[in-house]
Amino acid sequence: MPITTFEFGERYKYQNGFGSYLETEAIPGALPIGQNSPQKPPYGLYAEKLSGTAFTAPRHENQQSWLYRILPSCAHPPFARAADGPFKSDKPTDPAKLEYIPNQLRWDPFDHDDQTDFVSGLHLVAGAGDPTLKQGIGMYIYAAGKSMAENSAFYSADGDLLIVAQDGVLDVRTELGWLLVRPMEICVIPRGIKYQVHLPSGPVRGYALELYQGHFALPELGPIGSNCLANARDFQAPMACFTEDSGATASEGPNSYTITVKFNNSLFQTKQAHTPFDVVAWHGNYYPYKYDLGRFNTIGSISYDHPDPSIFTVLSAPSDHSGTAVADFVIFPPRWLVAEDTFRPPWYHRNTMSEFMGLIAGEYDAKKGGQGGFMPGGASLHNVMSGHGPDAKSFEGASNAELKPTLVGKGSCAFMFESCLMVGVTEWGLEMCKKVQEGYSEESWGGVQVHWERPKGVSANNHLL
């Protein structure tokens, strides 16, 4: 079945579609009919436009939603720098201190942390670019052991956040509604949307990619046709859901809510006297969404050779150069291999793109698992033009395997964040996490055998006049 069987059952209803224009109301009649900003919106609500692109972006790129809420987002005291947080300049995840190195890197599974919530449990591992210029990406590991406070909310002004759940369940409350995100699901929370993360199954760990420029899109299919890979109908968006908690005015509520914003990789906070989760209805195409990776329609060669891994792209964030991505999200799910006379795992490779890989579950067919190998909750980084490929044991096994139809990756799913940018690594990623496998390169490729046999009597001087 092209769907994941989850141990943790679904809690919510959703709307379906990627990039679709959707509408939802928690109270019937809360959406105005025929206009966006009437003089008096229904039920005394405020109309608020949320723009994810410039007003004049081309229609096919334009992303915006209209929210109908109890109080507008602007009703809060000034923000002040947060006293603590994972992005301060004295922290080992400081984006200003990225180290750019050509070495192949691999990490053991990152530690869980039962003392942090989702925001304080974010660790920047690597990145590139500058959110003030809306250029670049940030690659994260998250580990958390407690839910965010009921009276808190977080949003990023720096970019869209793609979350890859690896261990544990995220129950994500956003301004636009709830998303339940389980291992083998991803979600994307666009720039500016406030949210709160709860942990209904206990501690969590996973990966995240922040996109500073543009938004994720489905990859073009070209001659594949009109279906396959991630189908638009399988993406799920929340239904409107709201809380009533305010006073007669925005500053007179009985409770206090802490709003934290990530702004140029620094955290700022304010406290307001009304809940930020008061959106009664909304319509538009700028919203958070989730996707079950088990629904990905994998394609591959049915004759010979291993195609480029771009055939496994779920989401892509294009650069200004056609066919080149600031960030691709690629997965390697269970799939059948049938190619004849072919080395079936991914080949040895040097790439103009940077490749950050993680493992959600199981084993990856081109890398050994187990202690000291590529394990769930761990990661690897092969930067621009850094050679990589199957380790020696995997190569020998695949080179001598019987080439019958084979199902690989059952119970497994690896993924890749691929970027055209050269990626720097934080101090936390290189040293403080204490997870770097120092012998990764030697253990993977130091034992690669020489199979070359020079043909007898053949000259090797064909380049000479």
Side-chain angles (χ1 to χ4, degrees):
M1 287 288 290
I3 185 172
T4 301
T5 300
F6 295 103
E7 294 181 3
F8 196 99
E10 184 57 78
R11 291 180 165 182
Y12 309 115
K13 296 179 179 178
Y14 300 100
Q15 306 175 89
N16 294 332
F18 184 90
S20 304
Y21 202 100
L22 303 176
E23 63 176 42
T24 173
E25 51 188 10
I27 301 294
L31 282 172
I33 304 299
Q35 64 180 124
N36 296 318
S37 184
Q39 184 179 24
K40 292 187 176 182
Y43 308 132
L45 296 170
Y46 285 88
E48 178 179 279
K49 185 171 185 175
L50 178 62
S51 295
T53 54
F55 294 144
T56 52
R59 184 175 285 251
H60 70 279
E61 296 178 359
N62 207 298
Q63 296 190 28
Q64 51 89 34
S65 287
W66 281 93
L67 318 183
Y68 300 92
R69 60 193 316 154
I70 296 171
L71 285 167
S73 296
C74 56
H76 62 76
F79 282 93
R81 285 190 179 273
D84 195 14
F87 306 103
K88 290 176 67 66
S89 60
D90 61 342
K91 297 285 184 178
T93 52
D94 180 11
K97 298 178 181 177
L98 295 175
E99 185 170 347
Y100 293 82
I101 57 176
N103 296 334
Q104 305 99 331
L105 294 171
R106 188 161 72 190
W107 292 266
D108 285 328
F110 295 93
D111 290 336
H112 285 85
D113 189 343
D114 60 4
Q115 300 300 311
T116 59
D117 63 17
F118 181 80
V119 175
S120 58
L122 282 169
H123 296 282
L124 184 68
V125 177
D130 185 344
T132 67
L133 301 176
K134 293 187 176 179
Q135 295 176 351
I137 55 172
M139 299 172 177
Y140 297 87
I141 295 296
Y142 69 83
K146 58 185 180 181
S147 298
M148 291 175 62
E150 292 283 350
N151 64 339
S152 69
F154 174 78
Y155 74 93
S156 175
D158 290 347
D160 294 5
L161 189 69
L162 187 159
I163 299 171
V164 182
Q166 187 273 318
D167 186 26
V169 178
L170 306 176
D171 197 6
V172 185
R173 182 173 198 183
T174 78
E175 293 179 89
L176 278 65
W178 290 84
L179 295 170
L180 187 71
V181 185
R182 300 157 290 187
M184 283 299 291
E185 287 184 309
I186 62 168
C187 76
V188 174
I189 302 177
R191 183 196 308 264
I193 291 181
K194 299 183 183 76
Y195 63 97
Q196 183 185 86
V197 180
H198 300 266
L199 312 182
S201 68
V204 297
R205 179 181 61 194
Y207 311 86
L209 174 72
E210 189 167 30
L211 177 66
Y212 302 153
Q213 62 190 93
H215 301 288
F216 289 104
L218 295 178
E220 297 294 341
L221 295 179
I224 294 174
S226 55
N227 297 107
C228 287
L229 310 187
N231 291 309
R233 68 181 294 242
D234 292 324
F235 288 81
Q236 298 178 300
M239 307 281 283
C241 176
F242 72 100
T243 297
E244 295 177 79
D245 190 3
S246 62
T249 69
S251 59
E252 296 180 304
N255 296 305
S256 177
Y257 289 83
T258 301
I259 312 299
T260 303
V261 54
K262 178 174 175 285
F263 198 89
N264 187 23
N265 281 323
S266 295
L267 297 184
F268 295 79
Q269 288 184 337
T270 188
K271 294 183 182 295
Q272 63 185 46
H274 56 96
T275 177
F277 302 110
D278 64 351
V279 177
V280 181
W282 61 268
H283 69 82
N285 63 355
Y286 190 64
Y287 47 76
Y289 54 87
K290 74 167 188 170
Y291 176 72
D292 171 8
L293 299 177
R295 301 190 182 200
F296 186 79
N297 187 187
T298 310
I299 64 173
S301 174
I302 55 174
S303 56
Y304 62 88
D305 281 358
H306 189 299
D308 291 342
S310 49
I311 61 170
F312 302 130
T313 301
V314 180
L315 294 170
S316 183
S319 70
D320 56 3
H321 187 75
S322 178
T324 303
V326 175
D328 280 333
F329 174 63
V330 179
I331 65 171
F332 303 92
R335 59 202 181 278
W336 283 92
L337 302 182
V338 299
E340 296 180 315
D341 192 23
T342 293
F343 181 76
R344 288 178 173 178
W347 12 254
Y348 292 103
H349 191 206
R350 290 184 296 163
N351 195 354
T352 188
M353 310 282 277
S354 298
E355 303 179 11
F356 178 94
M357 287 192 66
L359 187 59
I360 299 170
E363 290 191 4
Y364 180 52
D365 61 307
K367 292 286 194 297
K368 71 179 181 71
Q371 188 65 33
F374 188 40
M375 299 174 63
S380 67
L381 174 63
H382 302 136
N383 225 320
V384 172
M385 290 301 171
S386 295
H388 55 279
D391 56 43
K393 182 178 179 181
S394 298
F395 176 83
E396 294 299 327
S399 296
N400 296 287
E402 181 184 356
L403 293 181
K404 59 185 179 180
T406 304
L407 177 64
V408 298
K410 187 175 182 179
S412 173
C413 189
F415 75 87
M416 179 166 64
F417 297 147
E418 185 176 51
S419 175
C420 65
L421 304 173
M422 186 175 288
V423 171
V425 186
T426 62
E427 181 186 358
W428 186 87
L430 282 175
E431 299 177 11
M432 301 297 291
C433 70
K434 300 185 185 304
K435 297 297 177 182
V436 173
Q437 296 179 1
E438 299 296 344
Y440 169 46
S441 180
E442 176 61 26
E443 292 170 8
S444 295
W445 303 295
V448 171
Q449 300 178 37
V450 176
H451 295 288
W452 158 252
E453 293 183 9
R454 186 185 182 109
K456 293 181 178 179
V458 176
S459 171
N461 296 321
N462 294 338
H463 63 292
L464 299 176
L465 291 175

